[in-house]
Amino acid sequence: MPDAEAGGTGPSGAAVLNALPLPVLTIGPDDHIIHCNHAAESFFDASARLMQRRQLRDIIPFASPIIALVAEVRRRRSSVSEYRVELVSPRTGQERSVDVFATALGDNGDTVVLMLQERTIADKMNRQLTHRGAARSMVALGAMLAHEIKNPLAGIRGAAQLLEQSGAEEDRVLTRLICDESDRIVRIVERMELFGDERPVERVPVNVHGVLDQVKRSAQSGFARHIRFVETYDPSLPPVLGNRDQLIQVILNLVKNAAEAIGADTVDGEITLSTAFRTGLRLQVPGSRERVSLPIEVAVRDNGPGITAELLPDLFDPFVTTKVSGSGLGLALVAKIVGDHGGIVECDPAPRRTTFRLLLPMSSARDGRESVVEAE
């Protein structure tokens, strides 16, 4: 097997490695990079020709556990794996969590093959299932609150209005407070009722750029008039299989959160709306063996202060919020709607850069061909 002995650099070996969606590096005895596949070029944001002139420590920090992992493979002359390794690129400073698989190549064992698997996708799947479970747990609660709270509140508000008509001036302040607080509770309960709506969502081919344009115009005419919008769109993006009104609700919610995170007094506030076509991500439909492809990515990024690491695991759970007057139902509702569409919503936090990313299914014709939607 000459190709394998050469570290996969022969014609057939290179073709196989380049077909892999995971980054693969072949490391020589002196830690020089002998070969890398296309996925590795994309992962490290460098060409194969450039990387083959460098050593492993040029693309991976010297203190990284991966360096020790390579040394251990050479010592043991066998395969070694390590999970959830934090990898910071010396070139870009970007931090990623990866699973590392390393094995010795050849008889002497000095050449090592490294394969990296970024944890983002796996963790995204696990967190999404948790978000969906949290959203579904609100269904019964929302229905119960609608019956047990809204009806008594109507009686309380009616009694307060009667007292307001006959009470003294100083008492009217209190009765008005009762009415206002009753109305506020009803609004919260009505939002929670949305979680109990189990009717099938009517989905059709939707031009997501039309949705983004409407959201941007709505935001710029109101709560985000002081913020600059940047649009980075893939013009060849196929239509999403979705409900236009619900998608507007989801993205408007994310843009509103971004504007509030930036703040009303910020002079350099910026929200970036972007779309892209991603291949290779598939999600299994709960309760069946069907796997749905989620190639359409819609992202909302802001340059606000960011989200704390402590809040991130529970970000899409109901009643989790950092706002003084927030109800904590906005992102939970986003998770439910996106889940009803068969998609994924995920937050990628970073200092001065928070990105909410939607991964959605593409609309296809009955015969499997890509469907077409008119521009909106």
Side-chain angles (χ1 to χ4, degrees):
M1 298 177 64
D3 290 343
E5 292 295 325
T9 56
S12 61
V16 171
L17 290 179
N18 286 329
L20 293 175
L22 302 179
V24 178
L25 300 170
T26 305
I27 311 300
D30 54 357
D31 277 355
H32 267 90
I33 299 172
I34 299 175
H35 180 263
C36 64
N37 65 352
H38 292 336
E41 293 181 86
S42 176
F43 184 86
F44 291 102
D45 194 22
S47 67
R49 181 174 298 180
L50 177 63
M51 293 177 68
Q52 288 168 357
R53 295 201 299 264
R54 296 187 173 186
Q55 291 184 303
L56 185 60
R57 65 173 177 267
D58 295 326
I59 63 172
I60 293 176
F62 181 75
S64 171
I66 297 178
I67 304 294
L69 190 69
V70 171
E72 185 177 357
V73 169
R74 291 193 178 116
R75 179 176 59 83
R76 295 172 53 179
R77 300 187 186 281
S78 63
S79 300
V80 179
S81 302
E82 189 160 341
Y83 298 91
R84 294 185 182 277
V85 176
E86 298 302 322
L87 178 61
V88 181
S89 169
R91 291 183 63 250
T92 64
Q94 184 177 9
E95 182 175 343
R96 294 170 172 175
S97 179
V98 297
D99 295 340
V100 186
F101 308 92
T103 187
L105 186 67
D107 295 332
N108 57 15
D110 290 336
T111 300
V112 177
V113 176
L114 278 178
M115 184 171 71
L116 309 177
Q117 181 175 15
E118 191 171 3
R119 290 296 308 175
T120 305
I121 298 299
D123 290 344
K124 186 178 294 183
M125 295 294 191
N126 292 335
R127 283 199 297 266
Q128 182 64 20
L129 293 177
T130 301
H131 302 336
R132 290 184 182 179
R136 289 194 183 100
S137 70
M138 296 298 295
V139 173
L141 181 58
M144 181 195 70
L145 288 175
H147 177 72
E148 299 295 337
I149 294 181
K150 287 176 69 176
N151 291 339
L153 278 176
I156 293 173
R157 194 184 192 286
Q161 288 178 319
L162 290 176
L163 290 174
E164 185 177 14
Q165 296 174 3
S166 59
E169 184 63 33
E170 58 271 17
D171 293 334
R172 292 180 182 175
V173 176
L174 297 177
T175 55
R176 175 47 45 191
L177 178 62
I178 293 173
C179 291
D180 291 343
E181 288 301 292
S182 297
D183 292 341
R184 186 176 67 86
I185 295 173
V186 168
R187 287 194 297 270
I188 293 175
V189 173
E190 286 176 345
R191 292 190 68 189
M192 292 183 64
E193 280 187 284
L194 294 174
F195 288 98
D197 189 355
E198 291 295 296
R199 291 174 297 178
V201 177
E202 182 181 352
R203 294 190 287 169
V204 297
V206 177
N207 182 346
V208 74
H209 295 143
V211 171
L212 289 167
D213 183 63
Q214 181 169 336
V215 169
K216 186 190 74 169
R217 285 188 281 108
S218 177
Q220 286 181 322
S221 64
F223 58 83
R225 60 170 58 92
H226 63 294
I227 295 175
R228 186 170 77 95
F229 278 78
V230 177
E231 296 164 285
T232 307
Y233 296 158
D234 179 351
S236 63
L237 200 70
V240 172
L241 180 62
N243 181 285
R244 178 179 169 83
D245 291 340
Q246 290 193 357
L247 290 175
I248 289 175
Q249 182 180 5
V250 165
I251 298 173
L252 187 61
N253 194 312
L254 295 178
V255 170
K256 189 172 187 295
N257 283 351
E260 291 175 348
I262 292 171
D265 300 326
T266 303
V267 296
D268 60 345
E270 181 178 286
I271 294 176
T272 300
L273 305 176
S274 64
T275 61
F277 190 86
R278 308 292 187 196
T279 59
L281 179 59
R282 298 174 68 87
L283 179 66
Q284 184 167 348
V285 178
S288 75
R289 295 184 179 180
E290 181 185 358
R291 299 182 69 84
V292 178
S293 178
L294 305 176
I296 298 181
E297 176 184 292
V298 181
V300 177
R301 185 172 70 244
D302 67 74
N303 62 345
I307 296 173
T308 62
E310 294 79 9
L311 185 64
L312 187 61
D314 306 315
L315 191 62
F316 293 94
D317 289 349
F319 306 116
V320 174
T321 182
T322 57
K323 303 173 188 176
V324 176
S325 58
S327 64
L329 295 176
L331 289 178
L333 185 58
V334 166
K336 179 186 184 299
I337 293 175
V338 174
D340 289 344
H341 278 70
I344 285 177
V345 56
E346 183 56 35
C347 175
D348 294 332
R352 302 293 301 174
R353 189 185 74 242
T354 300
T355 304
F356 281 90
R357 186 172 288 107
L358 308 178
L359 298 175
L360 298 166
M362 177 181 67
S363 176
S364 299
R366 291 184 180 273
D367 59 1
R369 296 175 302 171
E370 178 182 315
S371 62
V372 180
V373 64
E374 297 296 330
E376 298 168 4

